[in-house]
Amino acid sequence: MYLRELAIPLEKIKIKGIGSASIGALTKAGIHTVEALLRRYPRDWEDRSRIVPLRDYSRQQVCTTVKVLAHDWFGFGRMRTLKVHVEDESGRAVLVCFQRPFLEKQLIPGKQYRLWGNFSFKYGEIQATAFEVEPCDSSGSFFGKILPVYPLSAGLSQSLLRRFVRHVLDQYASGIESEIPEAIIQRDGLLPKSEAINAIHFPASQTELEAARKTLIYEELFFLEVMVGKRALERRSGQLSGGQLPVAVMGDSDFSPLQKRLIERLPFSLTAGQKEAAAEINRDMNGQWPMARLLQGDVGSGKTLVSFLAALLSIEQGGQAAIMAPTELLARQHAENAARLLEPIGVRPAFLTGNIKAAGRSQLLKRLASGDIDMVIGTHALFSKDVVYKNLRLVVVDEQHRFGVTQRQAITAKGDHPDLLMMSATPIPRTLAFTVFGDLDVSVIRDLPPGRKPVKTHLTKQSNENKVYDFIRKELAAGRQAYFVYPLIEAGDSYLKDAETMAENLGKKIFPQYKTALIHSRLDDEQKRQTMEAFRSGGIRILTATSVVEVGVDVPNASCMVICHAERFGLSALHQLRGRVGRGADQSYCFLIYSEPPPDPADIFSGGLSEDGKTRLKVMLENNDGFVIAEEDLKLRGPGQIAGTEQSGFLSLGIADPLRDIKVLEQARTDAFTMLENDPGLLQPEHLRVAAAIGPDGSFAGGQRVLV
Ligand code: ADP
Ligand code: MG
C-alpha cells in the first residue's frame, strides 16, 4: 500500500497512555491520520547513539551513563528543589530537578542510569536543568539511538510524538510501497519508501538518515516536476485560440497596426525592455499554443503598458481582453489609464468590480456578452458566475502573486484557452521560478524608463523623526507630495503608531499648511476613489496610509515615502512601498523609520530590533534591485514563504528545499520531463505507480498536494 492510502484516523490507534487529549492536540496541529503523522517529518535529530561524557559538556549535549552519588535540597516549602549529584568516568555533575521532586524516589544513590542533557557551568558546578534519565535496564529505551525532534505545538511533547510515531511505524511501515520509478531508486541508490519513512523518523545511523533524507527529498521534487511537466504538456496540446492572423501582420517593427497607433500617441518611447517583452508576447499570441507568460519587471518598469499592447493585439484579432488586478484601487487606476490611452484609438474598455451596482452592472454584462466591450478591467469580479464573455482571448493577471491558483484558473476558464499573461513586480527568484513556473515562459523588463533616478533611502530612528518631517516640509514646499505609511489602521494597545492618529497629527500639527488625507482598506470604495483622485491631481499633498498603497499605485509627483515602524514590514512590502516613489523625473526619497520595540515584561530577552528586522532594513538600505531583494527575502524566509508561492499553494514541500536542493531538483526535473516525453499517459508498467500517485485529475491523490 502507498503512504497516501494510510488515511486511518488516529483515534483508531490504541496506545497505552495516549488518550483523547493527546489525539485532540494532534488533530489541532492538523494531524488527523496515520499518513499525516508519518509525514510530520522531524525538524532535527538528537544523536544518542554516541557517548558524550560529562567532561565534554561545554561542546555538546551529554549522553552518558552515570552513577548517582547523593541527593541534597535547596530552597524552602513548595520551592524546595532536589539536586542529584552524579558521576561518570570523566567527571562529576549535578542534576537540578526543578518541579521534579519525584526524582528523589527514582534516582537512587549507588545505582547506574543513562543520562542525556544540556550542561553548563553555574554556581561553581556543572549543572543541568534540562535532562532525561532512565534506568540502565529499562526496555523500549530511547538511548543508544538517533532520536527525532519534531516541530511541536500546544499539547504535544517530543516523547508523545516519538512514542506515537514509533508505534505506527511498527504497525504500518513495512507495507508502504515506493511511488517513484524503481529504475531511479536503483540508479541513485535511494531507499525503498518503507525504509525511508522508517529511517527519517528513527534512523539506525547517520548514514541511514542521510539516505532517507535523500530519498524523500528526491521524491518530493520528482512529483513537483511531474506536475510542472504535465501542465507544460497540456498547454502544448491546448487548442489554438482560433482565427489568429499569420505572423505576417507583425511587419518590420514587430508591432501590429493598432499597437503602433498607441505607441505613436505616447508622450515617451518604449524602453528596450518593454519592446522586447512586447515582441515576445506578440510572438506567443501569434504562435501555435495559448500563451502562458510571466512578465517580471521591477516596480515602475512599465508593465501596464506592455499588457495594454497585448490587449490591443487580441482585440485587433476579434477577441476580448480581461485585465485583473488584486485591489479596486489598482484596477481603477488601470481602467482610467485604459480610457485615457485606448479610447482615442477606438477601443471600448470597461471597469468591473464587485461594487458596481445592479443596473449599471447588468448593462455592462450584456455588452460584455455581446462583444460591445473589447477590454474589461477589474478585480475578482471578472470571474463572477454571471460574467460571460463573447470571446475572451487574453487574460492579464496583474500582481499575480496576490492571486491564488484557483482564481487564475477561474478567470481563464471564462474563455476557450485564452492567452495568459501574468505580471509581477515581486520578482520570483530565478531558482524558484524554475521550479514553480517550470512550464511558463518568462519575460523580464530589466530597465526603467529613462530619466528615473534611483530612490535615495535613509534609515532613521524614531527619535529623529523630526528631521524627516523637516526634510519632507522642504519637498512639499517645492511642490512634491508624500506618503506616510503605518502598520496599523487605528490606535490599539500596542506601542505602534497607527494611520488614523497620525493622519490627525500630520494634518493638524506637523504639516498644517498642507492638505492631508487618510486611506486604508476599511474605507468604502467611493471614499478611497475620491481620496486617490485628489492625491493624484495634487489637491491632497500628504497621503497617510496603511500598506493598501503597496501595490500598483502610480502618482509620479509623489517623491517621498515615509515608512514608520519599517522593521515591522516584510522585504517585499518594503520594496513595493518604496516603488511608489521614483516614478517621475524628480529625485525621490524613502525614509525607513524604525523603533526598537519595548521589552515585554514576561520575556526578559524581548525588546530591541530582531535580527531579521535588522537584516531587512540593511537589505533595503543597500539595494534597489527587486531581484536582489527577492533573493534576500528568500534567504530570510525560506521558499515556502515567498509571496505568491505559499498562499497560492505552489509549493507544499515537507522536507525538500528547492534552493538548497537545487542539484536534486534539476535531476528530478530531467527525470520527470524525460518520463513524460516518452510516456505522456504514464501507461508503461514502471510508471503506473507515478500515475496512481498523481491521481486522475492530475492533482496529487496523496497528502503532498502541489497545485500549480
Ligand atoms: P509597473 O511595472 O510597476 O506596473 P507602471 O506600469 O505602473 O509600472 O508604470 C509606471 C509609470 O511609468 C507609469 O506612470 C507609466 O505611465 C510610466 N511609463 C511606462 N512606460 C514608460 C516609458 N517607456 N517611458 C516613460 N514612462 C513610462
Ligand atoms: Mg503595476
Side-chain angles (χ1 to χ4, degrees):
M1 101 177 334
Y2 296 112
L3 178 56
R4 62 175 185 276
E5 292 167 334
L6 291 175
I8 305 153
L10 292 179
E11 300 92 73
K12 295 257 164 70
I13 313 279
K14 297 277 173 271
I15 307 175
K16 210 173 128 230
I18 296 188
S20 56
S22 307
I23 304 276
L26 284 164
T27 310
K28 260 221 176 101
I31 308 173
H32 302 272
T33 61
V34 166
E35 180 207 349
L37 183 66
L38 292 181
R39 277 189 201 280
R40 176 88 159 190
Y41 299 135
R43 63 171 167 78
D44 201 359
W45 292 263
E46 278 168 16
D47 192 344
R48 300 191 186 179
S49 65
R50 273 177 291 194
I51 300 285
V52 178
L54 284 169
R55 184 185 47 216
D56 293 342
Y57 76 92
S58 62
R59 269 177 288 140
Q60 32 188 326
Q61 283 167 324
V62 164
C63 182
T64 184
T65 302
V66 292
K67 185 162 98 178
V68 170
L69 300 174
H71 293 171
D72 83 60
W73 297 83
F74 66 97
F76 297 97
R78 301 211 308 140
M79 298 298 288
R80 230 162 77 92
T81 298
L82 172 67
K83 278 169 72 169
V84 178
H85 296 260
V86 297
E87 108 183 322
D88 73 358
E89 280 158 12
S90 71
R92 290 186 175 188
V94 175
L95 307 177
V96 182
C97 311
F98 286 119
Q99 321 278 339
R100 291 198 271 181
F102 53 85
L103 286 177
E104 183 185 18
K105 301 252 156 51
Q106 291 175 16
L107 296 176
I108 300 156
K111 286 208 163 169
Q112 300 267 341
Y113 297 86
R114 295 197 186 96
L115 165 69
W116 191 88
N118 268 323
F119 284 81
S120 57
F121 191 76
K122 266 192 200 151
Y123 309 111
E125 54 194 19
I126 302 167
Q127 290 193 343
T129 53
F131 58 86
E132 286 176 42
V133 273
E134 120 195 329
C136 281
D137 52 5
S138 73
S139 63
S141 167
F142 281 134
F143 281 83
K145 301 203 167 103
I146 300 175
L147 284 189
V149 180
Y150 294 102
L152 294 180
S153 54
L156 295 180
S157 68
Q158 292 301 344
S159 70
L160 170 84
L161 279 164
R162 284 171 187 164
R163 285 185 55 208
F164 213 142
V165 171
R166 183 68 268 166
H167 181 91
V168 165
L169 282 171
D170 291 343
Q171 264 193 321
Y172 297 101
S174 63
I176 297 176
E177 293 170 63
S178 299
E179 287 166 78
I180 51 179
E182 199 56 40
I184 294 176
I185 299 183
Q186 298 301 331
R187 180 195 68 192
D188 292 352
L190 303 178
L191 298 179
K193 183 70 176 270
S194 59
E195 286 173 32
I197 207 80
N198 194 37
I200 200 71
H201 292 286
F202 291 98
S205 64
Q206 291 292 343
T207 327
E208 200 187 68
L209 175 57
E210 253 336 286
R213 281 174 52 85
K214 186 174 154 195
T215 304
L216 296 175
I217 288 171
Y218 178 87
E219 185 195 74
E220 280 184 2
L221 295 175
F222 176 76
F223 278 106
L224 177 70
E225 291 305 317
V226 171
M227 297 309 296
V228 168
K230 261 184 81 80
R231 265 185 315 141
L233 282 184
E234 270 159 22
R235 183 161 67 82
R236 303 262 135 94
S237 66
Q239 292 171 6
L240 288 179
S241 30
Q244 280 142 326
L245 298 179
V247 183
V249 293
M250 300 300 295
D252 298 339
S253 68
D254 266 357
F255 290 107
S256 73
L258 198 54
Q259 290 177 326
K260 280 191 194 147
R261 286 186 60 193
L262 171 61
I263 294 167
E264 279 158 15
R265 293 178 51 91
L266 292 172
F268 46 70
S269 48
L270 296 181
T271 64
Q274 285 174 316
K275 275 189 202 152
E276 200 178 314
E280 283 168 342
I281 290 166
N282 277 3
R283 208 177 317 127
D284 281 5
M285 289 178 67
N286 284 310
Q288 242 181 321
W289 306 301
M291 170 170 75
R293 187 169 282 277
L294 175 67
L295 175 58
Q296 299 200 349
D298 212 342
V299 283
S301 59
K303 295 183 293 295
T304 315
L305 192 56
V306 174
S307 73
F308 284 1
L309 290 169
L312 291 182
L313 188 59
S314 63
I315 293 165
E316 220 166 359
Q317 298 179 350
Q320 291 170 307
I323 299 186
M324 184 162 77
T327 64
E328 171 135 4
L329 217 60
L330 183 53
R332 189 183 299 277
Q333 181 178 287
H334 287 338
E336 283 163 4
N337 282 331
R340 185 169 54 84
L341 293 171
L342 307 181
E343 269 174 4
I345 57 170
V347 171
R348 295 159 301 175
F351 175 55
L352 177 65
T353 70
N355 288 304
I356 303 223
K357 297 288 175 300
R361 181 183 167 92
S362 73
Q363 192 55 29
L364 195 156
L365 294 186
K366 255 191 220 140
R367 292 173 54 220
L368 197 57
S370 68
D372 287 346
I373 288 172
D374 304 312
M375 177 180 187
V376 61
I377 299 164
T379 55
H380 305 77
L382 294 186
F383 56 82
S384 309
K385 260 215 183 79
D386 56 346
V387 179
V388 179
Y389 296 80
K390 173 135 193 274
N391 180 17
L392 179 62
R393 290 267 292 278
L394 170 71
V395 168
V396 176
V397 183
D398 192 17
E399 306 288 347
Q400 65 83 21
H401 59 282
R402 293 292 193 102
F403 291 95
V405 185
T406 41
Q407 295 170 323
R408 279 198 295 264
Q409 280 164 352
I411 178 77
T412 47
K414 293 283 181 183
D416 176 18
H417 294 89
D419 289 314
L420 173 65
L421 178 64
M422 310 210 283
M423 306 201 290
S424 181
T426 301
I428 292 136
R430 236 185 55 74
T431 24
L432 208 60
F434 175 69
T435 329
V436 177
F437 297 113
D439 72 321
L440 285 190
D441 300 303
V442 180
S443 296
V444 182
I445 305 181
R446 295 194 189 281
D447 43 4
L448 292 176
R452 299 264 178 91
K453 303 187 180 80
V455 179
K456 287 193 175 150
T457 304
H458 298 279
L459 189 59
T460 312
K461 227 179 166 165
Q462 190 167 303
S463 47
N464 281 332
E465 66 193 355
N466 281 331
K467 288 195 186 144
V468 176
Y469 296 148
D470 291 343
F471 187 95
I472 306 277
R473 210 166 277 124
K474 282 191 209 132
E475 283 289 301
L476 291 166
R480 309 282 130 66
Q481 291 167 273
Y483 298 93
F484 281 81
V485 174
Y486 298 89
L488 301 179
I489 295 181
E490 57 188 12
D493 48 7
S494 87
Y495 69 98
L496 298 172
K497 295 193 177 187
D498 63 279
E500 262 178 23
T501 314
M502 287 309 294
E504 282 277 317
N505 277 346
L506 292 171
K508 298 218 170 105
K509 295 188 195 135
I510 306 170
F511 304 109
Q513 64 275 52
Y514 297 106
K515 200 158 184 283
T516 5
L518 169 69
I519 195 162
H520 57 69
S521 57
R522 278 200 234 133
L523 297 178
D524 74 48
D525 289 303
E526 183 51 25
Q527 257 175 309
K528 275 191 246 178
R529 191 190 67 77
Q530 286 177 6
T531 304
M532 271 326 288
E533 186 46 48
F535 187 61
R536 196 185 313 282
S537 64
I540 290 169
R541 303 291 298 282
I542 298 168
L543 193 60
T544 313
T546 57
S547 56
V548 282
V549 293
E550 176 184 326
V551 288
V553 174
D554 182 41
V555 180
N557 189 50
S559 65
C560 299
M561 167 59 69
V562 183
I563 307 172
C564 299
H565 299 294
E567 75 281 359
R568 307 279 300 193
F569 291 84
L571 266 180
S572 96
L574 290 172
H575 180 62
Q576 285 270 8
L577 285 170
R578 183 169 59 186
R580 296 310 112 215
V581 297
R583 298 182 154 246
D586 300 310
Q587 177 63 54
S588 291
Y589 305 88
C590 173
F591 295 92
L592 304 171
I593 300 186
Y594 70 95
S595 59
E596 308 208 324
D600 170 356
D603 177 2
I604 55 162
F605 296 112
S606 64
L609 285 184
S610 69
E611 281 309 310
D612 277 9
K614 278 185 210 160
T615 312
R616 288 197 298 266
L617 295 175
K618 189 161 173 284
V619 169
M620 287 300 292
L621 208 53
E622 292 171 356
N623 298 285
N624 262 317
D625 180 336
F627 281 86
V628 177
I629 292 173
E631 294 277 357
E632 293 296 328
D633 202 21
L634 187 65
K635 278 189 216 152
L636 280 176
R637 300 199 296 168
Q641 304 288 311
I642 283 293
T645 56
E646 191 180 48
Q647 70 271 43
S648 357
F650 274 134
L651 290 177
S652 125
L653 300 173
I655 191 166
D657 171 345
L659 272 196
R660 181 196 62 204
D661 304 322
I662 185 78
K663 285 263 150 356
V664 187
L665 175 64
E666 280 162 10
Q667 181 65 57
R669 184 181 174 85
T670 310
D671 293 341
F673 277 60
T674 312
M675 176 188 74
L676 286 167
E677 272 155 29
N678 295 334
D679 181 18
L682 299 177
L683 300 171
Q684 292 167 18
E686 66 270 31
H687 297 151
L688 289 179
R689 53 172 83 163
V690 178
I694 59 182
D697 59 349
S699 64
F700 273 94
Q704 179 195 323
R705 288 186 84 79
V706 183
L707 298 166
V708 187

